[in-house]
Every structure is written in C-alpha cells, then in structure tokens.
Amino acid sequence: MIKKQFTFFDIFLTLLAGIFFTFILLVFLMLFTAVSAGQLLHQLSSPLVFASIRISLQTSLIVVCLTFIFGFPVAYLLSLKTFKGKEFLDSLIDLPIVLPPLVSGLALLILFGGDGIIGKILGHWDIRIIFSQKGIICAQLFVSAPFFIKTVKESISAIPEEVIAASATLGASSFYTFRCLILPLSKNGILAGLAMTWTRAMGEFGATSMVAGCIPGQTETMTIGIYMNAMSGNLEAAVAVGIILIGFSFISLFILKIKFSRSYGYHY
Amino acid sequence: MIKKQFTFFDIFLTLLAGIFFTFILLVFLMLFTAVSAGQLLHQLSSPLVFASIRISLQTSLIVVCLTFIFGFPVAYLLSLKTFKGKEFLDSLIDLPIVLPPLVSGLALLILFGGDGIIGKILGHWDIRIIFSQKGIICAQLFVSAPFFIKTVKESISAIPEEVIAASATLGASSFYTFRCLILPLSKNGILAGLAMTWTRAMGEFGATSMVAGCIPGQTETMTIGIYMNAMSGNLEAAVAVGIILIGFSFISLFILKIKFSRSYGYHY
Amino acid sequence: MGIIIKNIYKSFAKQAVLDNLSLTVKKGEFHVILGPSGEGKSTLLGVMAGLIQPDQGDVYIQQQRVNKLAPEKRKIGFVFQNHALFPHLTVYENTAYGLRARGVNGKKIKKIVAHYLELVKLQELHDRYPFQLSGGQKQRTAIARALAFEPDALLMDEPLSHLDVLEHERIRDELKRIQTATQVTICYVTHDHSEAAALADKISILHNGRIEQVEQPEDIFYHPKTSFVAEFVGANNIFTANLIDVNEGISRFRLNSSESIAKLEIEAKTYPVFTRNTEQKLCLHPEKIAISHTPNGKNSFLARIIDIIPQGAVFKVTGEISGLKLRAVVPKTSFKINSHTEKIWFTFPPDALHPLCGRSCRAAIPQRVCKNINFE
Amino acid sequence: MGIIIKNIYKSFAKQAVLDNLSLTVKKGEFHVILGPSGEGKSTLLGVMAGLIQPDQGDVYIQQQRVNKLAPEKRKIGFVFQNHALFPHLTVYENTAYGLRARGVNGKKIKKIVAHYLELVKLQELHDRYPFQLSGGQKQRTAIARALAFEPDALLMDEPLSHLDVLEHERIRDELKRIQTATQVTICYVTHDHSEAAALADKISILHNGRIEQVEQPEDIFYHPKTSFVAEFVGANNIFTANLIDVNEGISRFRLNSSESIAKLEIEAKTYPVFTRNTEQKLCLHPEKIAISHTPNGKNSFLARIIDIIPQGAVFKVTGEISGLKLRAVVPKTSFKINSHTEKIWFTFPPDALHPLCGRSCRAAIPQRVCKNINFE
C-alpha cells in the first residue's frame, strides 16, 4: 500500500497497543533484573533445585513419549476416519483444555485417591499414584496431550482429500498410505505438537500440585519449587528456577517456529 | 470411501485411542460422583464460597473489558499494518502463552511488589496491587489477553487482501473500512476471543495465586478456593466450587462453538 | 470391456446428484463426459474409482462387478483437477508410487517409470519436486503416475482447468497423442466443449444427473437432440414453430409469435417426427448460416447487424430479423467487415435445420425413448 | 486523458517484475493488457490503483500526477479476479458501498444504484447476499460496484477467469455492451488472447516486465512484431531464413537447415528491413495458409498430415514438409476430411509473410526502436 499520513484513528489504536506491549515487556524483563548472575549460579548449585530440575525433565519426557503413543492414534482416527460419535470424541479432546488444570488435578486426586475407583484397585497391588511421580505423569499427560492431538489432527487434515484418494487409486493399502504419505507429510506437525506438549508439561502447576503434593527431592517439580520458594519468601530461589524454566520454554518455542515454517504448501 | 473390513493396523490404533478416551472420560466423570446434590447445595450456601464466586466473576469481567480495549488495537495493527519490528511484537504476544503462568505471576509479584519499579511508584500514592483484586486483574489480563489477540488477529487476517483493497479503491477511508468492513467481518472472532479470555481468566490459578495471596472474602477467587479447600482436606467444598467453574467454562465453550460455526466463507 | 455403469443413484444432503444414470465406456475409447459445472461429473468419476459409494446401482470394470471393491483394489488410474501430487516426493518417486505400493521389484520399477516419464516428456525433470514444476509439468507427472501401474482405465477430472491458455492447448494435444500411443481407455470429464471436441472419440452429455445424449463429437455438435444439449454446445439458434405445409421432402414452418413480430416462415428438410398442429423445436447451428450482401435462395432473411465479434479465424455475427435474433459463425475469408454495413442477408439451407426432442425428453421420458427417434 | 504510466520499475524480492514500463490508456478506450501468467500484469494494475507503490516512475490519471495519492483518493474502479465482494452485504449494499463511503446522500444513492444494477441486469437480485449468487452474478455485482461511483477509469484483473465456459462468454459480451453504453475507460488484464480479441479497442502485450507491442487487435494478431508476440497470439509458424534474391517486390528466401532437411525456398513480399546475408525471422499466420488437393501457385508445398483437430467452425491442421512443421487453420467448409488422405498441399501467398523483429528486440533495444521499423 502507499504509505500515508497516520490518521487520528491509527494514532489512537497505536497508543493503546503501545501501553499493552510495554506492560508485557516490563513483566518479562522484571525476572532478569531480580537476580544477579552470581546469585543465579549459587541457587543452581543447591541440591534441592537440582533435584527439582531432574524430576521435571524426567516426568515431562515420559509424558512426551506417552502422548505420542496414545495421542497419535487419536489424531489419526479423528482426522481421517468417519464413524458414529466422532463429534463427541472430538469435544472430549477439548475438555482438558477447557477445564482449569486445577480442577483436572482435583478430579485426578479423587480418581487415584485411596477411595477412588482406580485408587482402590491399584491399592490392592500397593501401587500409589497420588504423591508420587506417577501422579505427576498422569496429571501432565491429561493436561498437555490434547495440545499434541489438536496440532497433529490439524496437520493431517491439511493434507488434501484428493492426495489421500490418489494414494488409494494407485493401489496403496491403508498402512502403506500411512507410512509413505500421512507420516512424512505430518512430520512437522508431530514435532511441533511434541514440543508444545513438552513445554506445557514442564510449566504445568495446577494439576501437578494437586496430585503430587510437594515432597522435596521426590515430587517437587520446578513449578512446585517456584511456588514453595515464593510463598516462603525466598524470591531469589524462585526466580532462579523460573529463569531455567523459561530457558526450556524458549528452546522448545524455537524448535516449533522452525518446524512450522517448513511445512508443505499444498496449493502450490 | 467404500466401507471396508478394519485392518489389523486400524484395530491397533483404535485400541490405543480407546484407552486414552476412557482415561479422559473417567477423570471428568469422577468430579460428579464425588459429591451428592445435597452436599453441593450445602456448600454453595456457605458465604465464603459465595464470596469467591463473586470475586472471580468481578475480576474476570473487568479483565474481559480491558482485554478488548487493549487487545483489539494490537490485533488490528498486527494483522493489517506493516511496520518495522512487527515480528518482534508478534512474538511478544506469544510470550505470556509460552511462559508458565506461575512464572508470569512471579514476575508480576516482583514488578508490583514494594521493591519493584512500578510497585515503588504506586507506593507513593498508597496504591497496592499485590494481595488485592487489582493484582488479580493484572495477572489474569497478562495471562489471558494473548488468546483474544491471537483469535481476533486470525479472524482479521482471514479477510482476503483484495476485499480490503476493494474497499480502498471504492474511496473508503481507513476508519470507514474499519467500521463497515473489518468490524462486522471479525465480529465472530471477537466474541469467540472474549469467551476464551473469560474462561481462561476464570480458571487461572498459577499467576493469580502468586499475586493475590488468599485473603478469604477479598482475594480468594474460585480457583484459589479450590486449592485451599483441597489442601486442607475439604474435598467436598473443592469439588463443589470446581463444578460451578466447569459450568461457567461450558457456557463459554458453547458460545464459542456457535459463533465459530457461523463465520464467513470467503472462497464461496 | 471397459467400464459399465448401471442405474446409479447418488444424493448428497437429500439432493439427487446422479439420478438413475447408466453409461458404457468401451475399451480403448477416449470417452468425454461433458456437462455444466456442479452437475455431478466428479461424483460419477468418484463412483467409478470407488472413492464414492453410490446409494444404488452397479459398477462393472472389465466385466467384473466391483461395487464392494475398495479403490486400491480396482486398477483404475485417476488424474485429479488439482493434480494431487505427493509434495514430499520427486517426479520419479511420484511416478513410482503405484508400483512400489504394489510391491513391484526395484529394477522393473526403474524401467517402467523411465518409459512413462519419456512418454510425458519429463525424463529430464525426474528429480524435481512438485513445487519446482509448472502447472503443465505437474499435470504431466500426474498422468505418468496414473499410467505407470498400467490401469484398466484412466479417469480424468477436468485435468486442464487450472492451466493457462498456452499450457492448456499443449497438454491437450499431448494427451491425445498419449492416448493414441497407449490405447488406454480414458473417461474424461469437462465442462468445456472445445476441449471435448478436440479430445473425444465419444461424448456423453451429463445433465440433471443423467446422460442426455451419447454420440460422436460431430453428431453432438451438429445434431444435438435436446434444447439443453443444443444450447450447451453452442448450437444456439432454436426456433419454436408450427408445421404448415409438407412438399417433396421439404416442410414449411411458421415461427411462433413469441419469437418474432412478423410471422416468419422457414423451410426445413422433412423428418418423420414432424406432425401438423403441434409445436416443434428446430435447431440451427450458427456455422450453417451463410452471410451475403444479396439474398441467396431459400431461407434468406435481411437482418440488422447487432454485434460482430472476431474470434480467431471466424466472426461471430448476431443479427436481428424483426425481433428474432440469429447467431452466425462465418469464416473471416468469406465476409468483409464494413462499419457502414447495417443490414445483411442471413441464409441457411433447409437441411441445416433439425428437430429437437422438446422439453419433455429430459423431464419424464427415459433416455432410451429419446435416442430411438429416427432422425435421418 | 485517461491513465499514463511512465518508466515504472517494481521488483519483489530483488526480482524485477516491471522493468521501465511505459503505457498510455486513452480516455474512453477499452485497453487490454495481454501477457502470460505471472508476468506482472496484476502488479501493473496495482500500481495504477495505488495499491502497490512502484520503486520508481510516475503515474498520471486525468493529467494529474498521483504517485503519492492513496488508493481511496484516486477515483479508480477495480474489479478483482475473485470479485472480492463484501460477504456481509447484499448486492444492493455492495453496489452502494463506494457512494456511502463518499457520503453521497441516501436518495441519490438509491437512484444511482438502481441505474447500475439495471445496467448489469441484477435489479431482481438486489437483496441477495454474495453466497447466494452464481459466479457470473458475483462478477456483475463487482462491475456494478466499481462503476457506481463513476470512476475516471475501470481496472479489471482477469475478471472472467473463474467463470465456467458458458458464463464466461455471456459476461464477456455483457462487458463489451456496458463499455459501449457507458464509454468508461477500461484497462483490462488477461492471459487469454481470444478474450482480448473479443473485447479490446487496443491491445498491449506485456512481456518480461515491459510492453512489447501496442496496437489494435487485428494488427497484434496478424502482424506481431516479435517472436514472443507471434507465439503468444498463435501466429506460430516462424521461419528463420536467408534472403537469396529480390525481384519486383518479391523476395526469395532459403530456409535455414535447422528448420527442414531439404532446403526449402519461399517467396515473400519485400519489406525495407530485408537485407542479404543476415538471418531474417518470418512469421506466417496459420489462418493465411490454404489447403488443397492440388498445388496452387507460389509457395505451394506437399505436406504429410500429422494431426487434424476440429475446433468450432475450423480445423487445425498440422502438416510436415521434409522436417518443417506447418500449422494451418482452415474453415471446415473449405476442406473435407478424409481418413485416407495422407498428403495435402499447403499454400500461402507471398504477402502472408511478414518479418519479425528478431531476438534482439526484447533483450536490449528499448521498445521505441522496435516500434519505428517501417513494416508496411
């Protein structure tokens, strides 16, 4: 478009937008001014902080694996098959996204608790989910898998119907089509979905804190660590862990951006 | 497609998907079995529960208004204007989505705290943000406004370039184009975005709990109430508030579905 | 024995798209299904390929009933409007896809693919990806891919509609050459009658969910049997007239008053279907009208010129004879334009006119009855 | 004085799209810019309308320099390829949009909109929404909308390319009628030469970012000046030959060996540009070749028939004369097909040939030099 003088209307909008951007930027920068590099290193050398990083990585990576194993079939069926009740199952996937994580955590607590349906059954074999890393994994899986499913579903649905029909008319079985067409064409969506799931699992607090409690060195994830430290007034420790967590998020965001920029354009 | 016998591959995928769906459905149903209708009513008549609902509604509705006032200009500028640094501002909007809410809350705590940049300034006029409803509003705005912005941005970007160019060649000023073209065509996106923001603000826990503390009757929102009750072993009260919260989420989800199903197809 | 479609019904959202449609595509034939957009041409191809399940009716391929057969078991090649190439595979790999999926061994694949890439003249581009190809090259790849596994028939869904004018013509001629070389059975769908004329051995006109006329191109264009076919293929001078006299094989008609102010009379060769006192629709192809500065025998009328459009080697001239519009297509060589000419003589021989089936054909009478009327 | 474009440059991603392009569209003229897809035709329209800022150069509308003027200040109507109707407004409201935006009063709007809806024959559909319209009706609405505020000129970007064949022809004829009725200046962009032939008062050929030839349709089609124009408009018999003799206004040429095995000799009317010992490109329009069963004077060659394609009122016949391919377009009336005919005589008069500018024209010499060569 031809560049033109900004109208009053444009200036008004720019002003409002400017206030908002300043707010977001200020909040973000605040984290990095609150703690010096020396303090940061000092905090990181504490065994409790180190343990919480280990627990977070451990649980979230298991969650990523489980998400792929259970989530991919869901995305595949929802995007390519037609069957009765498909719309219902589709809404079911939205449920963990719409529910506040805290409420999801509460429901998990009841389900796996000593009096819960599954809690009772597992109790017979002496398996405890609540206040253990297994509980953390369940909570994170529940809360973050839908993001993976939605991303992959979208990326499979983006493959034009004719392309899949072409594969069938060329004599490809549904497994051959899956292996040689669906999988390579949705690869980027899968990777992006996994990155999102991982970030979400690492940063999850509401559901995790409900199910896991906070046994230092055992169920204290990074987010729980931040909360505990902040509540007990140890802001420096909280910020130090927060910065590490942001670091992980950014790495994952970076992968996501790269992967999505290289996706296929079907209408070339 | 012609219906055909399910292959082994399809059965395998269906099995995995089935496990996942059962898990989600079980967790959700758990909430409604944990408390009877009588207990639910009893809990709701408690003045503290009632107060937390009032606080949640009050703060979240203010957040929705502020989101529209500040968020719409941002979405408008990012989707229609080209300027230097646009990509940077675009990523800045992703920041509150990528950051764990807990970490955002921590940053807000530092910013508005007695020693924070803004906290100090506001302190001179005796304005307290931390541990007040103002803090809750700031936290929810930071965390949920980006969802509105992204939805509206997408819905404005979906208006084909030629349609906007057509308006210009017909002699419409940028304000006329805004009022008679952009606004009516992005109406559904705006409503959907507001519904999402509201749901998110109501269900927010991490950032809110950091900034607000939990002063019953003053800063105890529904989510904070759930956490406090669950932690102190009062599961019934927690579930009761949780069910109300779910009710609100579903109303909002319903609005969202209806609005999005009626959006314009540009490539008719 | 090619493809046989018997009494197919298919509705979407309670709207009948294919309505008791039957069709035979013979082995080795280039069969074009011609019809307006959105009248179920693609649906028909989908039914043949097994991509769409008809509500009722049978599909036979090479004399085998394939109603329950999945598309991957049918040995039918399909070329889509949007080519539908696999974006992550090269031209070579796209072409080899059908062979690999069938487990053909590597050495044989190499030979077959090379052969078909040569046929469509893409040998040199074998390692390009679809996004690196022009529209025409993409469509060539799609053709090679569909031919490579040596299907029983090739279905093509408006494969040229997204190409620009130059590529359109080039690929069209290539396609005709490829069909002549391979003798593959082709069932080709289009809404463009000049495309159909250039390609078809046989043309079926699809309208309102059924086949309205099946014939060789010449017959479709110069002897359409219904008003719809006549309008659609451009034989768009249609008169409603009453027989007033028959004399030595020549019938005299008077045009209905709705057509022109003066009650014009025209002469036509007599057909067995002509009867007195019933309205008869007559069709006159624009190419059968001659134009001259002086009257020229029977059926010669002085017309006011409304419009002259040059089009390649011909002029499309529209003239008006007391309210009746006549459209003529005349070679440029036979007619000198002159901006001062206001009136000119339109002439057509009696045997240029032929009767149309009338309104009733399409609506109620099944297709067969209409076909059996003895026209000539 | 219409629209004047002077020395416009525009690149995208360092790729020059418009390269020192100049063009004059006279007031009241139907000016068609014809060129292949993706060669900057839309960019050129965008520059005229103010939607795209050129890197360099000037745009004048009605003698006013408008380089810095925003599109909404230019009084230029624009009809887009995808019609770009406002989906939330009715046909009436779409048409009224430009008037309302300009603050015209309600009563006047009603009158003007009614007038233009009548012009495009949409009075009855005035309260329909775009999604309820056919492709042709949408494009009519877009035309009414662009005309309603009485712009200085109307720019049209391939407005017919998304219509099906029947609607295409109908809207094209309507458009010509509307332009004749309103005398509005139209600058129309297309890649389809038959569309250009039917519509244009004047045609500009756009190629490689500049205008290669500007002339009336007849001259563009029968006297293309460069190989590119010749190929593009279908005058696709191009010979490379050397002058061997000049005699009484007739020049004898010998074809280069790259064209045919036997060194054929042809005779052409003499043009001033002909010189001995330099290669000359000669162009022969397919419509100027006659076909006969016996030789017929000068430039008569016996050709083996390669291909015959029927197309409306003509046949496109391709023949081969010892390696040289000749394409002829002959009226069906002048030529009886016979499947047994294998060889036939191709004849063209010496004045059917004319010289092309040669390769150098497009590459280095600016447009003006090429235009000044005295052809006739």
Side-chain angles (χ1 to χ4, degrees), chain A residues 167-168 170 176 180-181 264, chain C residues 72 76 86 88 97 100 102:
Chain A
S167 176
L170 289 168
Y176 190 88
C180 296
L181 195 68
Y264 290 103
Chain C
E72 60 263 34
I76 291 283
F86 306 130
H88 62 304
Y97 191 94
R100 284 186 181 155
R102 286 184 158 77

Side-chain angles (χ1 to χ4, degrees), chain A residues 75-76 78-80 86 149-161 164 182 185-186 266-267:
Chain A
Y76 179 84
L78 287 181
S79 54
L80 291 181
K86 183 171 162 174
I149 293 171
K150 282 178 94 84
T151 311
V152 174
K153 209 185 82 180
E154 220 167 87
S155 115
I156 295 179
S157 300
I159 303 173
E161 239 178 278
I164 293 167
I182 312 288
L185 287 180
S186 59
Y266 293 102
H267 301 290

